[in-house]
Amino acid sequence: MTWNNPATRTTGDLINASIWNTDLVDNLLALKNPPSAVAEVATNYTSSSNIFVDVDSTNLKLTITTTGGIVLAYFGAELAVGSSGFSQITVAMDTVNVAGTNGIGSFSSSIGSETQNFLYYIDGVSAGSHDFALQWRNTDSQSMTLRGAIRYPIQFWVREIS
Amino acid sequence: MYEIANDRYPVVFDLLEEAIKSGGVPAAKYVGMSTGPYGVRVHLSEAPTPAEQTAVENAITAHDPALLSADKDTIANDGADVVTITVWCPHTSGSSVVFVVEGVAVDPVDLDINKRASIELDASGVLDRSLSVTVQGFDSETLEIEVIE
């Protein structure tokens, strides 16, 4: 069920079943089940790429059909950072990085292996189908690992909120 | 951005990357490597020449990993405590492996149907604070078990 902007009614308007179902029932169902997609992947990934690349273009790329507005993206996983430089994680919407040059999360080599997560607000998303891919890189080309198979799975989700 | 993809998985990341780097891909063109259940992806800034493509594919195909794991991180130096070392050789066509313990090859151990083999070791004969194990003839990193009093 998708959102339909309800019309403004005035005194004396007849609210028939069609209007009720469109303005109230369908919209309440749309609010209860907004466009969203979730990936939970119990697998380890390793990369040394110094340019942002997909972590897994099959299992960690999500597609939702939005009504247009704001999308929240969440990432959480244990990340073993590279031995130098910064291990950076971002989200690409339709192949375009939604954040700046350094991505959404930039993690120093001094932190070792820790749980990392972020929630990111993506505004101005047009209505229609969009791909959201989790991407990463290490600025010094050092190998980094997302450890989804050790303690808990990698979680990545997107959800339209407005 | 170009990628050379291969479905080989799992791999010993650092050893495979070193083989690819030394196998004929110019450093200026090499961006990095990624591995996951999809296999291996070699990221390049420019399209590879046919010779570079072949060199990368050969390096990946030749990669024969032996993945080592242990059931504990430390072992007591009392001659009684034991650690179980397991190796997984996912791509081998061989039927046995030779563990190398503290630099000394031990008798071959048969691989099971899942291409895994295990040995139990104690810390007797270890001269330093670490029991080192690797596998002969494979792409294998050295596993170090800390020896404690």
Side-chain angles (χ1 to χ4, degrees):
Chain A
M1 207 56 69
T2 59
W3 174 262
N4 296 291
N5 288 330
T8 300
R9 309 294 170 189
T10 58
T11 303
D13 283 350
L14 174 64
I15 306 301
N16 60 24
S18 174
I19 291 171
W20 175 268
N21 290 337
T22 300
D23 285 5
L24 286 173
V25 177
D26 290 355
N27 281 338
L28 286 171
L29 290 172
L31 290 171
K32 172 66 176 169
N33 298 294
S36 58
V38 181
E40 282 199 331
V41 182
T43 299
N44 292 343
Y45 296 90
T46 301
S47 182
S48 60
S49 177
N50 60 27
I51 292 174
F52 280 114
V53 294
D54 289 356
V55 177
D56 183 335
S57 53
T58 300
N59 297 307
L60 289 165
K61 178 183 275 186
L62 305 171
T63 302
I64 59 174
T65 300
T66 60
T67 56
I70 299 162
V71 169
L72 281 185
Y74 171 82
F75 154 80
E78 182 179 354
L79 171 68
V81 295
S83 58
S84 65
F86 289 86
S87 297
Q88 300 176 330
I89 297 180
T90 196
V91 173
M93 183 177 77
D94 301 328
T95 74
V96 178
N97 184 353
V98 299
T101 305
N102 294 317
I104 298 172
S106 186
F107 307 103
S108 162
S109 60
S110 63
I111 63 173
S113 181
E114 290 183 353
T115 300
Q116 307 295 350
N117 56 70
F118 59 69
L119 190 61
Y120 196 75
Y121 182 97
I122 307 170
D123 199 0
V125 177
S126 62
S129 177
H130 298 284
D131 292 331
F132 297 86
L134 189 67
Q135 295 192 331
W136 60 343
R137 72 166 182 161
N138 179 276
T139 56
D140 273 5
S141 300
Q142 298 299 310
S143 63
M144 55 192 170
T145 298
L146 278 172
R147 306 173 85 179
I150 309 297
R151 294 182 178 84
Y152 41 80
I154 301 161
Q155 189 179 82
F156 175 50
W157 56 253
V158 291
R159 186 177 182 103
E160 185 173 29
I161 59 167
S162 175
Chain B
M1 180 76 156
Y2 293 82
E3 286 187 350
I4 298 174
N6 187 288
D7 62 3
R8 202 157 189 84
Y9 179 80
V11 300
V12 178
F13 189 94
D14 292 342
L15 296 181
L16 177 56
E17 182 168 51
E18 189 54 44
I20 289 170
K21 283 180 175 177
S22 61
V25 178
K29 197 179 279 191
Y30 185 80
V31 170
M33 186 180 92
S34 299
T35 63
Y38 49 77
V40 175
R41 287 186 184 142
V42 178
H43 311 291
L44 304 170
S45 59
E46 302 171 30
T49 64
E52 291 164 356
Q53 173 100 20
T54 300
V56 169
E57 289 172 352
N58 287 345
I60 296 171
T61 314
H63 183 68
D64 195 5
L67 304 160
L68 288 162
S69 60
D71 65 344
K72 58 174 73 172
D73 297 329
T74 61
I75 182 171
N77 188 16
D78 58 5
D81 194 13
V82 295
V83 58
T84 300
I85 309 291
T86 299
V87 66
W88 180 31
C89 307
H91 310 305
T92 187
S93 56
S95 60
S96 64
V97 293
V98 174
F99 288 95
V100 178
V101 181
E102 291 290 288
V104 178
V106 301
D107 290 340
V109 180
D110 288 342
L111 291 164
D112 66 16
I113 193 170
N114 297 313
K115 300 185 179 180
R116 296 174 196 271
S118 297
I119 54 169
E120 286 190 345
L121 299 172
D122 63 37
S124 58
V126 177
L127 300 176
D128 53 19
R129 308 286 293 183
S130 176
L131 173 63
S132 70
V133 183
T134 188
V135 180
Q136 199 172 69
F138 285 85
D139 294 306
S140 172
E141 295 183 318
T142 299
L143 185 65
E144 303 279 354
I145 308 296
E146 183 184 2
V147 177
I148 56 177
E149 295 299 328

